[in-house]
Amino acid sequence: PARMPPLVHQNNFNRGIISFVKENPLLQKLLCSLLLVFTIMVILLFNIPPHLPGGQLTTLEKTNYYKDFVVQLEKIKNEFPGQSERTWRVIHTTVLGTLVEERVVSLPAVFLMFSTPSAAPVLNSLAEKIAIAFSKESPPYEIDTSAYKDMDLSKCKEMIDGGVRDFAGNLAPLPGAVIVPNVDLLPPRSMLLFHSFCDQDHAPFKKLAYIFTVVLPEEVEPEDVRRETRYITKYLRNFWQPLLHVEEIDPLLSRIANSVVYVVSEDT
């Protein structure tokens, strides 16, 4: 007898399965339930809200932190009209990766703010207000750098490390701000702690903002500070060089000096 082609056998088999399912309501319900469970598992696995294609946003709460910060930043901007548009642009863009993170992107916000002695009060006030706006759920944590100036290095590092970790641990997973005023008062080698704290890929606390400040030892001409990042990194490099190796200074600066803000005096 003639044999039927394999494709015919397959079609007959498929029709038989379809017919069998149609004749069994309980089996239909079971298959629908399995399909629903599978769909839910996929959504949970990839953390993609059904109403947000591509999973580009996370929770509404994270979005609100960003919106609230922008509102507060606009108020701060009105209080400090003498600061440049670049200053506000740098501050705004730096917080994006922390307060409005994409599904797989999160990183700490790191600022390096500096001024001349005459603008130091403005610098301190602005740094504090930015920190408060960012650290909505808790007062910012300010490191008392003057207390560590002459402290034993190991004790200094232990206290700074413990303070930051305790602050971040109590806040997690909410955002918070750490102020490090006058970083040049800290023992230079203790600053290496922030190489890991401010690492974009492996930072232990990616919902924190670190605000470092420096007051230059003397007044400078405005045109000398036109390139803010180059100016302050050169200053810190020269300041740290006697006690740190170049191989330590450059990686540290690459962490803390990506978002530099030069603060000027406000006309009274």
Side-chain angles (χ1 to χ4, degrees):
R3 298 179 61 183
M4 297 179 66
L7 183 59
V8 175
H9 281 295
Q10 183 65 44
N11 289 338
N12 289 339
F13 177 77
N14 292 343
R15 283 195 292 269
I17 291 293
I18 294 172
S19 176
F20 179 74
V21 171
K22 287 182 176 179
E23 294 172 0
N24 289 270
L26 290 178
L27 182 59
Q28 294 176 26
K29 292 181 179 180
L30 176 61
L31 291 175
C32 289
S33 298
L34 290 174
L35 181 60
L36 177 62
V37 170
F38 176 76
T39 303
I40 293 174
M41 289 178 65
V42 170
I43 292 173
L44 292 176
L45 179 63
F46 292 99
N47 193 28
I48 302 175
H51 58 289
L52 295 175
Q56 293 180 346
L57 298 179
T58 52
T59 65
L60 181 62
E61 179 185 49
K62 292 175 183 175
T63 303
N64 283 343
Y65 279 119
Y66 167 71
K67 291 179 179 178
D68 291 345
F69 180 84
V70 170
V71 170
Q72 294 304 314
L73 184 61
E74 195 62 31
K75 294 179 181 179
I76 296 171
K77 183 177 178 180
N78 292 332
E79 294 181 43
F80 297 87
Q83 307 310 308
S84 68
E85 281 301 318
R86 180 189 179 278
T87 290
W88 308 115
R89 187 168 63 250
V90 168
I91 294 171
H92 179 250
T93 55
T94 301
V95 305
L96 291 177
T98 310
L99 296 183
V100 184
E101 62 182 49
E102 293 182 356
R103 186 166 57 90
V104 294
V105 176
S106 184
L107 62 157
V110 183
F111 304 93
L112 176 58
M113 308 175 69
F114 75 104
S115 75
T116 61
S118 61
V122 179
L123 169 66
N124 296 333
S125 178
L126 180 57
E128 182 181 20
K129 289 180 182 293
I130 295 298
I132 291 173
F134 189 96
S135 193
K136 183 181 176 183
E137 303 295 336
S138 174
Y141 174 61
E142 182 169 340
I143 296 175
D144 185 3
T145 51
S146 61
Y148 299 128
K149 184 177 180 180
D150 301 314
M151 187 179 292
D152 173 74
L153 177 60
S154 60
K155 183 65 175 177
C156 175
K157 292 174 67 175
E158 178 185 347
M159 293 185 67
I160 294 174
D161 183 73
V164 172
R165 291 183 182 278
D166 287 346
F167 173 72
N170 291 333
L171 267 181
L174 303 177
V178 177
I179 305 174
V180 190
N182 303 304
V183 298
D184 42 351
L185 292 182
L186 287 175
R189 194 155 291 279
S190 69
M191 278 295 297
L192 296 177
L193 284 170
F194 295 101
H195 180 269
S196 59
F197 281 145
C198 300
D199 180 31
Q200 293 189 357
D201 296 323
H202 305 293
F205 311 110
K206 295 189 176 183
K207 302 302 293 181
L208 290 186
Y210 296 91
I211 303 176
F212 301 93
T213 72
V214 176
V215 178
L216 300 175
E218 57 187 10
E219 300 296 323
V220 295
E221 295 298 325
E223 58 267 21
D224 294 336
V225 199
R226 282 183 301 176
R227 297 183 177 181
E228 295 98 331
T229 301
R230 178 179 296 183
Y231 189 95
I232 192 60
T233 53
K234 181 180 179 181
Y235 169 78
L236 288 175
R237 185 178 286 108
N238 292 337
F239 184 84
W240 287 332
Q241 210 149 24
L243 294 173
L244 294 179
H245 299 296
V246 174
E247 309 85 67
E248 296 171 315
I249 296 174
D250 288 345
L252 175 59
L253 288 174
S254 73
R255 296 285 195 272
I256 72 170
N258 279 326
S259 298
V260 172
V261 171
Y262 176 54
V263 178
V264 298
S265 297
E266 293 284 341
D267 294 331
T268 56

